[in-house]
Every structure is written in structure tokens, then in C-alpha cells.
Amino acid sequence: MLSNSPLDIFKQFYSTCLVIFSVVIVTALMFTENTKVANDAHPVVALVVMWLGILWMSMVEGGQCSMVGLPPIDRELYRESHKITYQICSLGHKGDNLDRYLMGRQFMVIFINFTISLCGSPLEGASVLGLPQWVSDIFLGSGIAMVLTNVNIGQLTAQVNASHCMLDYINTHFMTFTLYCTLLIEMTGFMHVCYLIRDCFYWAAGKPIVTNEPPRDAVKAFFHWGRVLFSMVVLCFSLAVTLEALFKGQTTMWDVIPNWAAVIIFFVLLSLVGLLEAMQIAFFAVSKLKKEERGDHPVAKRTCELLFKGEGRNLPGFMVGRQVTVTLIFFVAARVTTLNIKIGEDENIFGVSDGLQEFFNLGFLGAIITTILASISWQLVASAFPIAFLSNPFVFIMLNVVLAIEATGICAASWFFGTIHKKVAGFQLDEVYVGTAEERAAGKHPDRSIHPGRDFSMGTNVLVGNPSTWEEAIQNLSGKESFATKRERMQSNIADLEALSADASPAEQQVYQNAIEMENKGMRDLEVEEEEAKAAKAEEMA
């Protein structure tokens, strides 16, 4: 969470101004028919589809925080207070459905990004509102305007609130619809080649494939491997169509880019997305290791030293910068891979029918390629070999680049928008409904994992593991706290709880009071622990 320092306040102010400016010029683009959807259909269609996409993106991103963060909590604790959330989690956490949800969700994120790009990204040479050419080049030509709009409003704002208001955030049938969509996408089998890639890398790493379902019988095995084969065929066909269009200059790629260069850019973009997706997985994997267990390679050591430097703020900083960078690449990738063949005028790819060519023009093929080759596959590699992955010098270079992007504060507006969203929606902390982890344990409802030994870090959420604030994420990474730091944190928690309790309802006040009592007990235990540590140290010196 950003502090109230003058610098952070300034970052939120100028970031919010940039987002508002971006929304204005993107809307102007549409109503001057300077985007693909606005030009091919109607400006109103482009406007409506783009904002529906951003709205859906907020549920997809926020939903992941909740779906990944809620499994340890006993569902019976919120069965009555959040009936829709209870129904969603009952289905989403059954068997291996969480894996299936994450797989389908990953494709959905990329496809929504591709769709938003078609609605709001400018056509070649577009200019609006009489803006100077250099302003148009920065905000329109580079895609920054669309990135700022989508990331700040559709992604980070959702993650800011969903990371600590998980129960409230998905207590809506909009999330029910989203969950069914992701499971349906996974069921189609388009992404199933990822399971083959996963199995190969786990086999190479000597790790067992953990599952919560019984072994497949003959029918299920046939259905599963049949979809894996189908997925491989779809992937190869998608690559063939996309490369054919790139070599012929039949995509929405900028006209100034030669066809051969477009092909190179295509593979570079896939590699960059994959690198950033894998870095997320590897960083959280090594964050749980002791310093001496993070490998001996010089590059891996330098990367970890930078990542966990000082109080560990570079990790959440990387996640924010990564979100901006990946989204920008997605928009550029959409432009590179989306076919631009005029039906009835240009020759269709491989001589397919006009109807099939219109389907190709929608951008589905690019989304499939990006999901499999640039996202999920790289995540699986980093998950199986995190230490080896960090030895790659490109990882260290990209970490510095992403941290520099985050330091600009261009996404600080998400905290401001998140505050507004929380107040309007009436979100409350999960602890209000189910208590703290200590209270749940004391009430015979201890947290537990439905997938022991596994981490659900596939995707693009900012806070994997869903700590309630940036500070909590930092504490998780900073190693062992000193007694003074623990005492200060507990005192701060008590002050915050007392402030929250002042304006709360009687029921909420009781929850806050219980939490305050737990903090006071922790303070007393800390004093005893500190005295014992001092005595032990004195004995060693003697």
C-alpha cells in the first residue's frame, strides 16, 4: 500500500490524470472511427465492447485473488453470510477444478486483452483532438493510453480490493458466470497441450503430479489425451495461419514494419511475455527459500539480492511493473497476430471459406498461441526449475527494466480507484466475517490447504498468496523480524483496529475487539519470548 508521503500523493495524482486523459483520447479515437472495431462496425459498438471487456477483466483478475486465497478457509464459516461465494467455492475448489479454472482464466485474460485492443488501439496514422504528433506517438502509437486505462481500471484496482476482501468480491453471480466460462474454456481442450507440457517438465524435475482426483479410467484417459492431441493440432494450425499472414503482410501490424521483421517481432514478443510470466513464478518460489538455498550462480545471486533488497519492497514493485509491461506486450501482440484480410477482396489464408476467414480475423488464433507458448508453458518451466531459471542473465535485465517502470508511478492511480471502488461496493475485510487465522484456529476451524504442497501462482495477479496489504507481503519476504519490529507492528495493528472499531456496527466491533485481544496476547507472548532470548544469549556469552 502506498504511503501518504508527498511523493506517493503526487504519483497518485499524476497517474490519475494520465488515466483520465487516456480514457478521453481512446474514446475520441472510437468516435472518429480510428480503431478497428469502430471502423468495421460502429463507434458505439467499440465503446460498449471495450468497457464490458474492462469490467469483465476486473472480475477475472479479482476473482483469481479470491479463488486462490480462499481454499484454506473452512467454507462453513461463510456459508450463510456469503451464499454465492460459498456456491462458487464449492464448485471451484472441488477436485482439480481450481487448476481448470486457472487454465481457462489465463486464456480469458489474453483474449479479453486482445478484444480490448481491437476496440481501442489506433489505426495506422490516427490522430485526434489536434494533439501534437509527439503526444500522439507516445499515447497512441505506443499503446500506452490503452494500457493505462486497462491496467489501472480493469486489473490493479480489482486486485487491490480482492486481495483482502475476497469474500465480498466474488459474492456475485457475475463471478458465477465467469467461473463457468473458464471451466467451459478448459473443457473444450484448446489448452490441453499445456497439461502435456506440465507432465513433461514435472517428469524432468523428478516431481510427482499432485492431484485431488482418482486415477482416470479408460474413458476419461481417452477423452483427456484426445483433447491433448486436438490442442496440439489447433496450436500448430494457429501458428501456420499466423505465420502465413505475417509473411504476406496480412495482419494489423504497422505498415512501416517489413514482413520478415514482423515475424521476428512476433517471436520476440512471445519470449518477453513468457519471460515475465515465468519470472513471477520463480520469484515467489525462491522467496520461500533460505538465502543459502537460492543457488550459487552469480546471476541468480545478483537477481535475488536486488529482488529482496532492503525491506523486500522490490517484489511487489516488480509485480506492478510486470502487470503494466505484460499488458502492453499483449496489446502489441494483438496487433501483430490479428489478421486483417478483407473478405471478398483479399485472398483468404490457405483458401478457407469466407466464414472461417472472418473467424480468423477476430484474433482467437493469436490468443491461443500467446496463452500456450508465451504464458502457461513458461510458467510451468519456471515452476519446475526456479533456481536454474534465475541464472538466466535476461531475468536480471528484465527485473531492472520492470522496476524502473514501476518507479515512475504510472499505475499509482489504482490505489485511488480501489479506495473509491471499495466504498461504493461496500467491501469489508474478510476478518470481519470469518475472523483472523488465530481466531479461526481457536474456534476449531483452522485454515488448511485443499492442495498440500502446491502453489497456485498461474496468472497475472499482483499479490500471489493474497496478503492483505503490501506491508504484509513485505513482512513475508523480509526474513525474521526483530522483537522491536514485531512490537511496532502489533502496536500499529491495535491502533488500526481501534480506529476501524470506532465507526463499525456492534457485530463488527466485537470482531475488532477479539482481534485486539489477540494482538495484546501476542504482545505479552512477545515479551516473554524476548526475555528468554536475552537469557539464552547471556548464557552463551558466559
Side-chain angles (χ1 to χ4, degrees):
M1 183 178 294
L2 293 179
S3 66
N4 291 323
S5 68
L7 177 60
D8 286 335
I9 292 174
F10 171 73
K11 285 182 178 181
Q12 291 190 53
F13 173 75
Y14 98 80
S15 177
T16 302
C17 291
L18 287 178
V19 173
I20 294 172
F21 177 68
S22 298
V23 171
V24 170
I25 62 175
V26 168
T27 304
L29 273 176
M30 296 178 189
F31 281 93
T32 54
E33 298 185 358
N34 274 312
T35 72
K36 181 174 175 58
V37 175
N39 184 263
D40 294 345
H42 192 278
V44 174
V45 174
L47 182 68
V48 171
V49 171
M50 185 191 80
W51 282 107
L52 285 177
I54 291 175
L55 177 64
W56 202 2
M57 179 69 79
S58 69
M59 181 52 68
V60 172
E61 292 287 4
Q64 181 188 227
C65 293
S66 298
M67 293 297 291
V68 173
L70 287 174
I73 300 175
D74 188 343
R75 287 196 296 272
E76 293 302 315
L77 290 174
Y78 54 86
R79 181 171 189 166
E80 296 300 324
S81 63
H82 295 76
K83 294 183 179 180
I84 298 176
T85 300
Y86 178 84
Q87 294 171 356
I88 289 171
C89 292
S90 295
L91 173 62
H93 298 156
K94 180 181 179 181
D96 289 336
N97 278 353
L98 188 53
D99 279 334
R100 299 184 178 102
Y101 161 78
L102 291 170
M103 186 77 73
R105 173 212 162 274
Q106 192 71 12
F107 174 81
M108 186 178 289
V109 166
I110 295 174
F111 178 71
I112 293 175
N113 272 319
F114 274 45
T115 302
I116 293 173
S117 175
L118 293 176
C119 294
S121 294
L123 297 175
E124 187 73 21
S127 180
V128 294
L129 303 178
L131 296 173
Q133 187 59 44
W134 65 272
V135 176
S136 295
D137 290 342
I138 292 175
F139 284 91
L140 300 180
S142 67
I144 288 294
M146 276 305 309
V147 172
L148 291 176
T149 301
N150 186 34
V151 171
N152 280 288
I153 300 176
Q155 295 180 305
L156 292 180
T157 296
Q159 294 165 3
V160 164
N161 286 327
S163 62
H164 58 276
C165 301
M166 293 180 261
L167 291 171
D168 281 345
Y169 200 93
I170 64 171
N171 196 43
T172 167
H173 285 301
F174 189 16
M175 181 59 196
T176 305
F177 172 72
T178 301
L179 173 61
Y180 278 110
C181 285
T182 59
L183 294 179
L184 181 62
I185 290 171
E186 192 275 342
M187 186 184 298
T188 62
F190 283 105
M191 304 294 112
H192 265 54
V193 68
C194 295
Y195 291 124
L196 175 62
I197 297 171
R198 178 200 64 183
D199 293 351
C200 290
F201 279 110
Y202 271 84
W203 175 79
K207 298 180 180 180
I209 299 173
V210 181
T211 178
N212 287 290
E213 296 181 350
R216 303 185 189 97
D217 57 27
V219 175
K220 289 182 178 179
F222 176 80
F223 188 50
H224 172 79
W225 291 111
R227 285 182 292 175
V228 169
L229 179 61
F230 166 72
S231 178
M232 293 179 65
V233 172
V234 169
L235 175 61
C236 292
F237 181 73
S238 299
L239 280 169
V241 170
T242 301
L243 291 174
E244 177 75 5
L246 284 170
F247 278 116
K248 290 185 175 181
Q250 293 179 315
T251 72
T252 53
M253 187 65 168
W254 292 278
D255 293 336
V256 296
I257 305 296
N259 295 344
W260 61 267
V263 175
I264 295 175
I265 291 173
F266 168 64
F267 285 107
V268 169
L269 291 174
L270 292 183
S271 300
L272 287 176
V273 171
L275 186 66
L276 289 167
E277 294 282 13
M279 286 169 68
Q280 172 187 225
I281 305 302
F283 287 169
F284 277 97
V286 300
S287 71
K288 301 172 185 177
L289 300 178
K290 297 178 181 178
K291 186 175 181 178
E292 59 271 17
E293 296 176 345
R294 293 172 181 166
D296 298 324
H297 196 282
V299 175
K301 286 186 175 181
R302 290 179 64 191
T303 300
C304 290
E305 287 172 1
L306 176 60
L307 188 65
F308 305 117
K309 182 180 179 181
E311 296 180 337
R313 292 181 182 273
N314 280 351
L315 180 56
F318 162 79
M319 297 305 293
V320 173
R322 188 202 73 89
Q323 188 80 64
V324 180
T325 310
V326 167
T327 303
L328 176 60
I329 296 174
F330 280 160
F331 283 145
V332 177
R335 186 162 195 138
V336 174
T337 60
T338 299
L339 275 61
N340 187 28
I341 295 177
K342 296 180 180 179
I343 306 300
E345 297 181 19
D346 300 332
E347 180 182 355
N348 293 346
I349 294 292
F350 298 145
V352 300
S353 65
D354 289 348
L356 188 55
Q357 185 60 61
E358 288 181 350
F359 174 76
F360 289 168
N361 288 352
L362 293 176
F364 276 102
L365 302 186
I368 290 173
I369 295 170
T370 307
T371 302
I372 296 175
L373 296 184
S375 185
I376 298 176
S377 298
W378 285 67
Q379 292 175 1
L380 296 173
V381 173
S383 178
F385 308 100
I387 304 298
F389 183 81
L390 292 184
S391 302
N392 184 341
F394 287 107
V395 172
F396 181 74
I397 294 171
M398 284 303 298
L399 175 58
N400 281 275
V401 171
V402 169
L403 289 176
I405 293 173
E406 188 275 335
T408 64
I410 60 174
C411 283
S414 58
W415 295 103
F416 173 68
F417 294 139
T419 300
I420 296 175
H421 182 205
K422 183 177 180 180
K423 290 185 180 297
V424 171
F427 292 151
Q428 297 190 89
L429 298 177
D430 296 323
E431 286 77 9
V432 172
Y433 305 106
V434 297
T436 64
E438 293 82 3
E439 291 169 340
R440 292 194 292 271
K444 307 301 182 182
H445 292 280
D447 293 352
R448 81 274 187 272
S449 174
I450 62 171
H451 298 278
R454 298 191 52 195
D455 296 312
F456 294 98
S457 46
M458 181 185 297
T460 56
N461 58 304
V462 174
L463 296 177
V464 177
N466 303 300
S468 59
T469 64
W470 289 115
E471 282 72 19
E472 185 177 336
I474 293 163
Q475 289 159 11
N476 292 341
L477 298 169
S478 300
K480 187 175 180 180
E481 292 179 295
S482 66
F483 290 110
T485 302
K486 288 182 180 180
R487 186 177 295 104
E488 289 176 3
R489 175 166 56 82
M490 291 179 179
Q491 290 171 343
S492 176
N493 289 344
I494 291 172
D496 290 341
L497 289 167
E498 289 175 342
L500 290 170
S501 178
D503 298 323
S505 66
E508 293 171 344
Q509 286 179 346
Q510 183 59 49
V511 173
Y512 288 128
Q513 188 58 43
N514 291 340
I516 290 172
E517 291 176 2
M518 293 294 294
E519 292 289 348
N520 285 327
K521 180 179 181 301
M523 292 274 285
R524 293 191 294 271
D525 293 341
L526 182 64
E527 291 177 2
V528 174
E529 183 181 349
E530 186 175 13
E531 290 299 324
E532 291 176 349
K534 287 180 179 179
K537 188 174 181 179
E539 184 176 342
E540 288 178 2
M541 295 179 64

